[in-house]
Amino acid sequence: MAAKTRGEKWIRLLRAYGPVADNEAMQGEQVDGLARTLGIPKLAFEHPARKLLLDCFSLETGAFRNVVLTGTAGEGKTSLCFELVFQLTGNHAKGVGGVEEIRVETKGGPRTLTLIYDVTGWRKRTNGHISEGDVTLLERMARSTFDVGDEFFVLAVNDGQMHELFRALPPDVPQSIRKLESSLIDLHARHECDFGDRLRLVNLSMVPSERIMELCLAAVLDRPEWTCLEEESENPLFSPSFSLARNFRTLNTPQTRAKLMTLARIADVAGHHLPIRGVLCMLSNALLGHPDAKDRVLRPGPEANALAKTGLAHRAAFHRNLFGENLTATNRRKREIYRFLSMLHIGEETTNDFDELLVFGSRDQELRPAYDELVAADQHQQRNPDFDTLLQRYIRGDINSDDETQMFLSELAVERRRIFIQASPEQFLKSSLWKTTVFHHAREFLDEVVAPIQAGKAPSRLHMRKLATGLNRIWTGLLLSDHANEIYLTTGLDLTTSAVSDIFLAQLELDSELPGLEVVPKEAGSAPEVVLRTNGREFRFALTLPRFEFLCRVADGAMPSSFSRESCADFMSLKQRCLRDLKLRASTRSLQLIDVHGSGTIQRMPIHLVEQ
Amino acid sequence: MISLTNTEPYFGSKDRNEAWVAEAIWGHRVERQPFSALLLEFLGMAEGMYREGKLLEKTQPGDNPTYAANRCLQLRNLLFNNPRMEEILRNAQGSDEEAWATWLQVMRDNASLGDRLAADFSYLRKRFDSFGELVSVVRLLRRITADPGSERSWTMQFLFPIGPAALYEAIYEKGDGFEQTRRVFTRTGEIAYLMLSRAAEPLRAKIRERLAPSFDPNTSRNRLVMRLISSSEPDRGEMKGGTYLPYKTHPAFNRMAEDVAAILSLNLPDQDSFQYLQPLLGFHIYLYGIETANAWLGNKGLPPMTAEILAPRSDLVRKAAVASYLQNDGIGMLAVSKFLDATVFSDAQLQEKLADESLDDLAKKEYLAEHLVRTVSLKKNLDANDPRRLAEMFYSFATRLYRNGTGDGLTALATGCGLVSKRGTNRYRYAPTDELLRALVFANVTSPVEESAFLRHLYSRYHLVIGPAEAKDDVLSYLFDETDFKKNRDRFGRHLVGMGLARRMSDACTYVLNPMESFT
């Protein structure tokens, strides 16, 4: 049924970005089509990689580069190519057959630029391999990359398609194309950008998730069409008591926006990338999701009107939709963004103080003020009104069946998620809400490590010592002091990675002139790096949030291998590389065995290897 | 590969073999042993050859490469035949003199050093400042005992190979002396050495250069071991040899050598490379085993191995992995039959005798029995009345020998290296462990490679079938399900990402990485 009002049209458009069935194959072009039909402009913002791309084509100097523009589906590759054509020629791209050739006059002379922005449309196959003509074009691109010439290329391709393209090359392609292939794979896999000065890989997945979240939030929320919530409030869809209005108001608060920005920062430092399409999908679903709608997302029309009258808006509350609770498990699983959110386990970890507040807060005089402020305050009516009844049954011990216990626990987790989303920064800190997630130390990581180093300062000494303690305990297998001032590099008698490694190799001082342990920033959107120095050499590794969390937990007393086998194996592999790259060898005159005193300090015991 | 021009007959005596069948096909001898013994026996032979300046010199099937392995009797008595040391230290209550005196006496009475060494450990007093220091070194070395907790006798206890002096041969006590035994070191490790010794020269040179530092007697760890041995070099056993590998060339030889060379090229610290070499040696001998059997059946290359990446519940991949394992387990027996058809029963003179109507059944049986002794050194007297019955009995005898010998040895290698397991079910199947996958990534990845290209590589190099693209052609249609194999591939990717061996770029692209390749 066609949408009638402006508000309904806007919702139709916003819905197209959500996790609806036809979104899978929906390309930028199709959203364009829908936007045109509806007469509502699509979501738009300046692409964060735009400058990176335009910088490769300076009309001032004529110094062009070949560019491969890659990323996941929905990152905006095609739009960027269209924009480039417009910038260079002043004309709109024709967009026929997935390929376009333009001629550009520059101060350095004329240049020809071939853009392939739809590889599937452009590529022709014969006998399972790409056609001779396509091979010739790739050969020209390879020649331009490794040689000289005035002809340049832009290839916009999904990372999966890039490999498919190279896989489909006939076996006898010229060596130069193979060189192009290996150079690109190397740049891509190593997160690098330039090969010489004539080839650049612009990987849109490298744009910081935080920046993408900021742009997407603005693109969705700062739209004039939202006046529909006031102007069309008689329409059940836009009624203040229905989920859409409540969810919009929840999202459009500084607290929630900041919370989503933090989640995006977490993605960056945990080594995840949130693509534009994923973020838009998440936002669209958080607003429009409804578990009782036909395809779990509201569609303007009779169905939405009927749902609005049921009075069950809390079933589609923002903090439920945000994590995809309204969607089927299959639909959730196939989207990276929900896999990321579920990996955080938000609300799934129990914490004594906070759970006490949630369960007994309304009944306990002492807890009551905190309860009223944090739990009962629910400005946009997002809380499940049945939760109190469930809670009462739980407290009275009336919950007997496994099913009901399960339901109570899952509702308790939902409640923790609600507060996680709604809490102000002060409340968040006071109740240590990161403890309800898998990353108990996320705040310390962002505020005490990442933020200072980005501001050019060192992280606090306390946190450096914590890192050192964690490293010492994992790498030696011994319960060393929890206030380490130095890092001990040790090895086992048999293997570097022995569970107990007590042969001393080197000691790195945190406070030496050139610190033995340092955390240094990397480019925006990446985790910082740890640098270990000794023996005139250094060893670096990325300090991702999962690694930081593991080090902190171990420093706090967790047993490395029982806390996370995977992280433990990761650190063992790092240790093997570290000792190799620092070229540390035991002395041939004596072996220094280390032993731990009760206080966690070490004692060295030499074993002489030569006659006195 | 199995042609006569590519083999040479065994040089030695076959007197101690019940028949020479599996030995002629796979070599003398691949048999079940504790998995740790494979690497130790291999290194022991390599060390012996290194000492003679012959490490990985080319060998031929008809040669008899011999070497003398270390015995290290003092060391072994100190570590594994010295149960009272800690007690003596405790009881001496700080009196060093008393501790030494008591302990030296106990050792004089109880240590077992054969006829060439005296049970006198007083040399240690000059080497250690105190008895306590000696005890701490013994304690330290005992920590690296191979297969701790195994109930083998002290003469069959081994150390992690931290240096040449920590490598010594398996022996057993006989009378006042010792004899070599092939019970723990079954020769399978020597087969591994012989396989490498027949790889291409550039590969052998590479391995030689990179393995040699492991045999350097002057490393700190080897010095630690040598402090417990009175002489400047370890005591050694008699020369040994007699291991037979039938083929001059075989695709398995270079394949194994390439992987060994790749691991050694990672320049891992100290002996860390052994951690990866150990499963790879087992893996490659198993591949050699099934590829050889496949060749006897007239097929080229390795048979496919459908591998399940451990799934939470049974699906078609698991069924295909079980079927594929059973199939490959069965081809060994078929190879034995083919071998007997081709080398024993195709003999023209035998056929003529068996067809000769002037001879009665008894005479024909007698002739066949002699023929079996001549061709395959059959020792056992098979009780049959006629040649047909004798032939039947012999076929079944030979396959039983294979089952309990080489067949069992190959199963032990496949499970030991982590290729085959019963995890989560009660039947053997190909289900590689994370440790084996790590070794395969270390051996095969030098620069980032896209996951599907890596799966294709594992398929073309080892015939390992993991993802749907490879399974499509090789898995029987009723066991093939695209979705199940996709899930298998996804699990493969997830395992590698979890182990830090892969980086996921997006839903459509994952790179397999070798974390050790950043070496500069």
Side-chain angles (χ1 to χ4, degrees), chain A residues 398-468:
Chain A
D398 292 345
I399 295 184
N400 297 316
S401 75
D402 285 351
D403 283 353
E404 206 179 353
T405 308
Q406 214 45 53
M407 186 169 83
F408 170 71
L409 291 177
S410 103
E411 279 303 310
L412 187 63
V414 170
E415 188 64 355
R416 289 193 204 106
R417 279 200 279 276
R418 178 178 70 83
I419 294 166
F420 182 95
I421 296 295
Q422 292 180 358
S424 68
E426 299 73 36
Q427 290 170 331
F428 202 90
L429 194 64
K430 197 170 149 203
S431 302
S432 308
L433 290 180
W434 279 116
K435 293 246 158 56
T436 68
T437 76
V438 74
F439 294 121
H440 289 191
H441 298 84
R443 189 201 63 79
E444 282 100 316
F445 189 55
L446 294 179
D447 297 349
E448 315 280 348
V449 178
V450 177
I453 59 170
Q454 275 171 354
K457 295 184 205 142
S460 74
R461 170 176 297 271
L462 180 74
H463 288 90
M464 293 305 282
R465 289 174 72 173
K466 201 160 197 176
L467 286 182

Side-chain angles (χ1 to χ4, degrees), chain A residues 188-189 339 494 496 608, chain B residues 227 271-272 503-504 507 511:
Chain A
H188 191 228
R339 288 204 297 267
D494 48 358
T496 304
H608 302 289
Chain B
R227 292 205 81 198
Q271 312 85 20
D272 280 5
R503 179 178 291 159
R504 198 179 147 82
D507 280 355
Y511 285 109

Side-chain angles (χ1 to χ4, degrees), chain B residues 3-290:
Chain B
S3 77
L4 280 177
T5 54
N6 193 35
T7 61
E8 284 175 5
Y10 182 47
F11 44 80
S13 154
K14 299 173 186 170
D15 288 350
R16 295 171 75 175
N17 295 75
E18 290 186 87
W20 193 262
V21 178
E23 290 77 0
I25 303 173
W26 290 281
H28 175 49
R29 57 189 190 144
V30 178
E31 294 224 351
R32 182 177 284 274
Q33 60 181 164
F35 191 66
S36 60
L38 171 66
L39 177 73
L40 295 174
E41 190 179 25
F42 163 76
L43 288 173
M45 181 168 188
E47 192 271 333
M49 292 297 181
Y50 171 79
R51 232 183 304 118
E52 298 290 314
K54 297 193 290 197
L55 178 60
L56 289 179
E57 274 185 5
K58 192 168 187 67
T59 67
Q60 293 293 348
D63 299 344
N64 180 17
T66 55
Y67 67 104
N70 295 331
R71 279 265 162 102
C72 304
L73 286 169
Q74 289 161 330
L75 172 76
R76 294 160 83 171
N77 270 283
L78 284 166
L79 297 184
F80 307 119
N81 191 26
N82 177 16
R84 294 190 54 201
M85 189 174 224
E86 300 271 1
E87 172 205 326
I88 293 168
L89 177 68
R90 265 197 315 276
N91 292 348
Q93 293 178 339
S95 165
D96 202 45
E97 187 56 40
E98 188 192 325
W100 277 113
T102 316
W103 178 74
L104 286 171
Q105 188 54 48
V106 166
M107 291 306 274
R108 252 191 298 277
D109 296 343
N110 298 310
S112 175
L113 287 141
D115 45 13
R116 281 184 282 167
L117 288 165
D120 176 10
F121 286 85
S122 55
Y123 62 93
L124 293 169
R125 284 195 76 157
K126 295 188 211 87
R127 296 194 180 179
F128 291 93
D129 293 344
S130 66
F131 185 67
E133 194 192 348
L134 169 67
V135 174
S136 63
V137 168
V138 167
R139 217 182 272 154
L140 178 65
L141 286 169
R142 278 179 181 163
R143 275 204 337 229
I144 58 163
T145 305
D147 309 321
S150 75
E151 301 207 338
R152 296 197 295 265
S153 74
W154 72 272
T155 56
M156 293 188 202
Q157 297 280 359
F158 304 96
L159 284 180
F160 184 89
I162 57 172
L167 286 165
Y168 45 78
E169 64 184 347
I171 46 176
Y172 69 96
E173 285 182 281
K174 190 175 182 192
D176 288 338
F178 297 96
E179 285 208 356
Q180 290 166 340
T181 167
R182 294 290 187 177
R183 247 180 356 100
V184 182
F185 284 7
T186 61
R187 294 183 189 271
T188 312
E190 294 186 0
I191 291 270
Y193 177 89
L194 291 180
M195 286 173 72
L196 289 182
S197 75
R198 291 182 205 166
E201 168 53 23
L203 285 168
R204 281 185 287 124
K206 211 175 192 181
I207 298 173
R208 199 180 294 134
E209 183 198 330
R210 289 165 196 188
L211 197 55
S214 305
F215 305 134
D216 176 3
N218 294 317
T219 62
S220 52
R221 285 171 173 78
N222 198 57
R223 285 181 178 204
L224 178 72
V225 178
M226 285 306 296
R227 292 205 81 198
L228 299 182
I229 296 175
S230 63
S231 47
S232 60
E233 282 189 38
D235 42 313
R236 307 216 158 87
E238 294 87 42
M239 294 297 277
K240 58 182 186 176
T243 301
Y244 172 65
L245 178 68
Y247 308 102
K248 292 180 192 167
T249 62
H250 193 295
F253 301 164
N254 276 355
R255 191 168 53 218
M256 180 197 244
E258 282 156 6
D259 284 4
V260 169
I263 294 290
L264 293 173
S265 303
L266 296 173
N267 290 307
L268 298 177
D270 303 315
Q271 312 85 20
D272 280 5
S273 57
F274 294 161
Q275 189 183 351
Y276 309 111
L277 286 187
Q278 175 153 306
L280 285 178
L281 291 182
F283 177 65
H284 280 284
I285 304 176
Y286 176 77
L287 295 188
Y288 159 76
I290 56 173

Side-chain angles (χ1 to χ4, degrees), chain A residues 211-224:
Chain A
R211 178 86 185 111
I212 287 178
M213 181 64 80
E214 188 185 8
L215 292 167
C216 291
L217 278 169
V220 171
L221 294 177
D222 304 345
R223 288 281 293 226

